[in-house]
């Protein structure tokens, strides 16, 4: 199995066909997050050191909830609808980017329109497959929440033997959950591509992913480790590039803030407006490369068999047979 060729070909395909960036970005191949931090005083106190009135706070919160119940319900419904819409869009883009990468790997002509039509065709199966993956991951979260509740209750009751048992069980559960999560991620990557490229249903695709994982475990692990190494190298490179891009704006904003000028926030906003699209484009490219990498790897896992995972090229119509009289003559 040509492991390094998978890496170079995934970069070549992703760079040559830039519409894959958009599809991979909305397919959920990349991820990001943010955190909010604010000033706070010692635990149980406000910023000025005064003990807050818990009863008054509860009363204010209850009154606000009662006065804005309609707004809360409308906002919750809107959030749910947006989440469902993005979930469906991700399913369409998943099928589109996987099929497109496979067709470009097979060096057949393919474009955004054809990819989108494929994504709409496989949307239902991808949605059912993702829901199946979520259902398989759900017991881990249930056990984690139960352990957290039991641990808090044991601490509140000062039950040291139970705390020790829960800590030991929690460590063992964490190790098992990590292994289970890695296996589930393999099933997700392999099974999702089986849905699109082998036109399987959700359950059959999950079984196909498990079959490939157990049958070609060594190859899957090598592909995974190589993807981690490539990801680390790319992360270091883009961290350096990001630092170079962010450093001038940070210096300007700090100089303005140190001089007492209120224009420092303007420098921050302008830098964010300029740098955020660049970072999103970089993330989209990395998502396309990762998705293409696993699609190519999927097509080469069974090197002793023909690559029949992408749809075969259209059959050329054969000319009609000559009439019997002419054939005899």
């Amino acid at each position: 199995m040509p492991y390094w060729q998978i890496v170079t070909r995934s970069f070549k395909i992703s760079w040559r066909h830039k519409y894959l960036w958009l599809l991979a970005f909305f397919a959920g191949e990349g991820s990001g997050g943010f955190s909010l931090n604010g000033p706070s005083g010692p635990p149980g106190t406000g910023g000025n050191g005064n003990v807050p009135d818990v009863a008054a706070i509860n009363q204010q919160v209850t009154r606000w909830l009662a006065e804005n119940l309609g707004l809360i319900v409308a906002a919750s419904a809107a959030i749910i609808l947006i989440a469902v819409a993005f979930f469906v869009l991700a399913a369409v883009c998943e099928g589109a980017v996987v099929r497109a990468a496979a067709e470009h790997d097979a060096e057949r002509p393919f474009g955004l329109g054809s990819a989108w039509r494929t994504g709409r065709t496989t949307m239902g199966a991808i949605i059912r497959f993702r829901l199946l993956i979520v259902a398989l991951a759900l017991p881990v979260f249930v056990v984690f929440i139960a352990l957290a509740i039991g641990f808090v209750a044991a601490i509140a009751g000062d039950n040291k033997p139970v705390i020790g048992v829960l800590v030991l069980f929690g460590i063992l559960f964490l190790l098992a959950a990590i292994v289970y999560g890695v296996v589930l991620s393999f099933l997700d990557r392999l099974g999702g591509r089986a849905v699109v490229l082998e036109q399987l249903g959700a359950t059959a695709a999950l079984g196909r992913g498990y079959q490939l994982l157990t049958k070609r475990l060594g190859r899957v692990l090598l592909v995974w480790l190589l993807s981690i190494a490539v990801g680390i190298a790319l992360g270091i490179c883009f961290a350096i590039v990001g630092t170079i891009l962010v450093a001038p704006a940070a210096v300007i904003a700090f100089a303005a803030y140190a001089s007492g000028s209120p224009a420092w926030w303007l420098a921050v906003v302008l830098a964010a407006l300029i740098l955020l699209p660049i970072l999103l484009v970089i993330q989209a490219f990395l998502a396309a490369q990762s998705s293409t990498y696993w699609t190519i790897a999927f097509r080469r896992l069974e090197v002793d068999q023909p690559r029949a995972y992408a749809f075969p090229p259209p059959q050329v119509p054969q000319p009609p047979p000559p009439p019997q009289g002419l054939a005899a003559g």
Side-chain angles (χ1 to χ4, degrees), residues 47-108:
N48 56 3
N50 297 326
V51 178
D53 189 349
V54 179
I57 294 175
N58 291 336
Q59 185 178 3
Q60 293 175 2
V61 171
T62 304
R63 185 186 305 115
W64 186 87
L65 291 176
E67 293 175 354
N68 300 275
L69 182 60
L71 178 62
I72 294 173
V73 172
S76 301
I79 292 174
I80 293 174
L81 290 176
I82 292 173
V84 171
F86 272 100
F87 185 79
V88 174
L89 177 62
V92 175
C93 292
E94 176 74 12
V97 70
V98 169
R99 171 71 187 276
E103 292 296 326
H104 291 309
D105 181 42
E107 298 183 350
R108 291 195 285 264

Side-chain angles (χ1 to χ4, degrees), residues 57-183:
I57 294 175
N58 291 336
Q59 185 178 3
Q60 293 175 2
V61 171
T62 304
R63 185 186 305 115
W64 186 87
L65 291 176
E67 293 175 354
N68 300 275
L69 182 60
L71 178 62
I72 294 173
V73 172
S76 301
I79 292 174
I80 293 174
L81 290 176
I82 292 173
V84 171
F86 272 100
F87 185 79
V88 174
L89 177 62
V92 175
C93 292
E94 176 74 12
V97 70
V98 169
R99 171 71 187 276
E103 292 296 326
H104 291 309
D105 181 42
E107 298 183 350
R108 291 195 285 264
F110 210 70
L112 179 59
S114 301
W116 185 257
R117 286 191 294 271
T118 300
R120 287 188 303 172
T121 302
T122 60
M123 176 189 67
I126 288 291
I127 289 176
R128 291 190 294 271
F129 179 77
R130 288 191 166 184
L131 291 176
L132 186 58
I133 293 294
V134 171
L136 291 175
L138 190 60
V140 176
F141 292 97
V142 173
V143 174
F144 176 78
I145 293 174
L147 282 175
I149 294 175
F151 188 71
V152 171
I155 292 178
D158 196 19
N159 194 334
K160 295 181 180 180
V162 175
I163 293 175
V165 172
L166 288 177
V167 168
L168 178 60
F169 185 77
I171 294 174
L172 295 177
F173 172 75
L174 180 61
L175 296 176
I178 292 174
V179 175
Y180 182 73
V182 171
V183 172

Side-chain angles (χ1 to χ4, degrees), residues 9 56 101 120 168 215 291:
R9 189 157 180 79
R120 287 188 303 172
L168 178 60
K215 184 180 178 181
S291 177

